[in-house]
Amino acid sequence: MPSRPSFFSSSVGSKILIGLTGLLLFGFLLSHLAGNLTLLGGPTAFNAYTEKMASFGPLLWVAEAGLVAIFLVHVVKTMLNYRRNAAARPAAYREKRWAGHTSRKSWASTSMAITGLVILVFVISHVKMFKFGAWYVDAATGGRDLFRLVAEIFSNPVYVVAYVLTMGLIGLHLSHGLSSAVQSLGLSNQRIGRGLVLGGRVLAAILAGGFAMLPIYMYLAHQVAQ
């Protein structure tokens, strides 16, 4: 007799897992932005932050492994859920229309697959570029001078524009993803639904705007220093 599928492999369970991992990733982005804002304090402040993170040693590796696992679960479950929904509707809609003020459809919700793919590609290239990029030594501490690498990369306007545009797409993804995650976890209802949608958009804009501001700042600082 075939075993019954686990709860988290079901449609409802998958949505809950997607929502939970999505919120955990959002929490990481908030802490990551807080750390990256030390770039505004110059090389001493930012390198001190990165050195502090590196000082956790094995604990940092465990945290990074956990973060990768959460990210992979979120990506895989989202892809499987997307395929399941597509299979349930083999014939595509002839015309897509918004259902009016009661609909939660938006550009963000209908482009989640595309923006999600952009995020996946961005994360891979971002980790490769910064975590495994050039290793400069901070003459003052003997540790890694990550500030120099960041400043070097964002002295190129092509990288700045690409980064800012990507942050815009990530903000679009988050603007729907946050409210959708809360709804999937059963924390929403009709009374507060509109507020959650608006709150999700505001938080997404703040997060994406914060990340987008940094490469612009680094580029302008480089131009002034020349």
Side-chain angles (χ1 to χ4, degrees):
M1 183 176 180
S3 60
R4 296 178 62 186
S6 67
F7 172 72
F8 286 115
S9 66
S10 67
S11 178
V12 174
S14 292
K15 287 183 179 180
I16 290 176
L17 201 53
I18 291 170
L20 181 59
T21 53
L23 289 179
L24 289 173
L25 290 172
F26 178 72
F28 162 74
L29 287 176
L30 285 176
S31 64
H32 190 46
L33 176 59
N36 283 0
L37 287 174
T38 58
L39 281 166
L40 303 178
T44 301
F46 184 68
N47 287 338
Y49 158 69
T50 58
E51 281 296 308
K52 179 65 176 178
M53 295 298 294
S55 69
F56 288 107
L59 289 177
L60 179 62
W61 304 338
V62 171
E64 289 177 337
L67 181 62
V68 170
I70 291 171
F71 182 74
L72 289 177
V73 168
H74 186 77
V75 170
V76 171
K77 278 296 183 180
T78 299
M79 291 176 64
L80 292 175
N81 192 60
Y82 180 81
R83 289 183 59 185
R84 178 186 288 143
N85 291 339
R89 191 180 63 250
Y93 292 124
R94 293 181 61 184
E95 183 179 358
K96 291 184 178 180
R97 293 182 179 179
W98 269 248
H101 70 281
T102 58
S103 176
R104 294 186 67 232
K105 272 188 178 294
S106 64
W107 289 113
S109 65
T110 55
S111 63
M112 289 293 281
I114 297 173
T115 53
L117 180 60
V118 170
I119 293 173
L120 177 61
V121 173
F122 170 78
V123 167
I124 294 172
S125 62
H126 185 76
V127 170
K128 180 182 178 182
M129 187 177 294
F130 291 102
K131 185 171 181 61
F132 301 107
W135 189 286
Y136 299 120
V137 177
D138 187 342
T141 65
R144 188 183 186 189
D145 189 352
L146 190 56
F147 183 92
R148 179 181 171 184
L149 176 61
V150 174
E152 185 178 89
I153 289 172
F154 290 136
S155 65
N156 187 332
V158 174
Y159 283 123
V160 174
V161 171
Y163 194 94
V164 170
L165 290 177
T166 303
M167 288 306 106
L169 293 177
I170 290 177
L172 187 67
H173 188 88
L174 290 175
S175 67
H176 174 73
L178 286 172
S179 59
S180 180
V182 172
Q183 185 181 49
S184 296
L185 294 173
L187 303 176
S188 176
N189 55 46
Q190 270 191 330
R191 185 171 60 86
I192 64 173
R194 285 173 176 267
L196 285 173
V197 171
L198 179 59
R201 290 174 180 172
V202 171
L203 287 174
I206 292 173
L207 191 69
F211 276 115
M213 172 268 295
L214 292 173
I216 296 174
Y217 169 82
M218 295 297 290
Y219 177 76
L220 294 177
H222 174 76
Q223 295 303 307
V224 171
Q226 281 187 325

